[in-house]
């Protein structure tokens, strides 16, 4: 596996660009607006008529570190592509069970959206592919300050990666802490990692999910 694409990450702050498929629906537009706040060093671009290769070239010239494309099917967000620039890797995820901040129940008890850098929890990425996936995800964030009250969790369970976003408040004495969900929430299903950037169709695949292979035991690709 390639391991040097993130060699400059410690001296190069994440700079993320979000865009969508063409003519995004209102739910997709709302979801991407919320994602933009989740990732502090990000901006959103209306794609218009641009093709992927044009977007990637523009990103490279503006020192964007990661391009995230969000896709939908019949008004429901259903896919997320994370392409690290300038030369990859690119991870392709299915996107399931999206719940925006607007739709989370108990909104009165919901935490306020903060733009501080979050503490990151990556749970059960124990295989080689899992470690690779965790590397791609963690480099979308900067190290937080110790007093940051934001927590973002990517937790792998049975090959589905749950994303949750919380803030915590010290509501009483020294040992008391209240965790409030901020949203949005969703699940990711990794199905491919390519060595190149997203527009490099000839790039070698590092991992491809093969769900239709009959095996006696369900294979764990991301974690235990």
């Amino acid at each position: 596996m390639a391991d040097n694409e993130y060699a400059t990450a410690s001296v190069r702050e994440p700079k993320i660009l979000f865009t969508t498929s063409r003519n995004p629906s209102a739910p997709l537009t709302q979801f991407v607006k919320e994602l933009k706040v989740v990732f502090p060093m990000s901006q959103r671009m209306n794609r218009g008529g641009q093709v992927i290769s044009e977007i990637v070239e523009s990103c490279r010239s503006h020192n964007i570190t990661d391009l995230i494309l969000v896709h939908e099917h019949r008004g429901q967000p259903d896919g997320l592509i994370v392409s690290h620039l300038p030369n990859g890797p690119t991870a392709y995820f299915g996107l399931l069970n999206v719940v925006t901040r607007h739709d989370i129940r108990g909104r009165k008890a919901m935490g306020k959206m903060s733009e501080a850098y979050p503490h990151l929890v990556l749970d059960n990425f124990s295989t080689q592919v899992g470690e690779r996936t965790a590397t791609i995800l963690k480099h979308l964030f900067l190290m937080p300050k110790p007093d940051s009250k934001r927590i973002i969790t990517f937790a792998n369970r049975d090959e589905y990666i749950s994303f949750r976003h919380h803030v915590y408040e010290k509501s009483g004495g020294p040992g008391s802490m209240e965790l409030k969900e901020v949203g949005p929430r969703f699940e990711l299903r990794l199905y491919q990692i390519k060595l190149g950037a997203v527009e490099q169709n000839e790039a070698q695949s590092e991992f491809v999910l093969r769900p239709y292979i009959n095996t006696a035991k369900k294979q764990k690709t991301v974690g235990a």
Side-chain angles (χ1 to χ4, degrees), residues 30-41:
Q30 176 61 34
F31 178 55
V32 173
K33 282 181 181 176
E34 293 189 10
L35 285 179
K36 181 186 174 297
V37 184
V38 166
F39 296 87
M41 308 294 289

Side-chain angles (χ1 to χ4, degrees), residues 56-177:
V56 172
E57 211 43 57
S58 176
C59 285
R60 287 192 180 112
S61 65
H62 288 88
N63 294 316
I64 298 292
T65 61
D66 296 271
L67 171 64
I68 301 181
L69 296 143
V70 191
H71 293 288
E72 65 182 334
H73 180 68
R74 294 183 179 176
Q76 291 295 320
D78 75 338
L80 196 76
I81 301 171
V82 180
S83 189
H84 185 61
L85 299 173
N87 299 311
T90 299
Y92 296 77
F93 298 94
L95 188 58
L96 307 95
N97 305 323
V98 172
V99 182
T100 62
R101 279 171 57 78
H102 180 77
D103 295 326
I104 289 176
R105 291 180 181 176
R107 293 185 68 207
K108 288 182 180 176
M110 186 190 295
K112 291 181 180 177
M113 182 76 96
S114 162
E115 292 198 40
Y117 300 141
H119 297 285
L120 205 54
V121 177
L122 292 156
D123 183 40
N124 194 27
F125 291 84
S126 54
T127 66
Q128 195 172 19
V129 171
E131 289 176 4
R132 180 69 156 154
T133 305
T135 295
I136 291 167
L137 294 173
K138 78 180 180 184
H139 282 101
L140 299 173
F141 299 91
L142 269 176
M143 285 288 288
K145 293 181 178 177
D147 61 351
S148 172
K149 292 180 169 57
R150 277 182 81 194
I151 303 168
I152 282 178
T153 305
F154 292 95
N156 172 50
R157 295 292 180 273
D158 294 324
E159 306 302 292
Y160 289 88
I161 301 165
S162 293
F163 171 93
R164 297 293 185 270
H165 181 198
H166 294 86
V167 293
Y168 68 85
E169 298 171 4
K170 293 181 179 177
S171 50
S176 65
M177 192 179 295

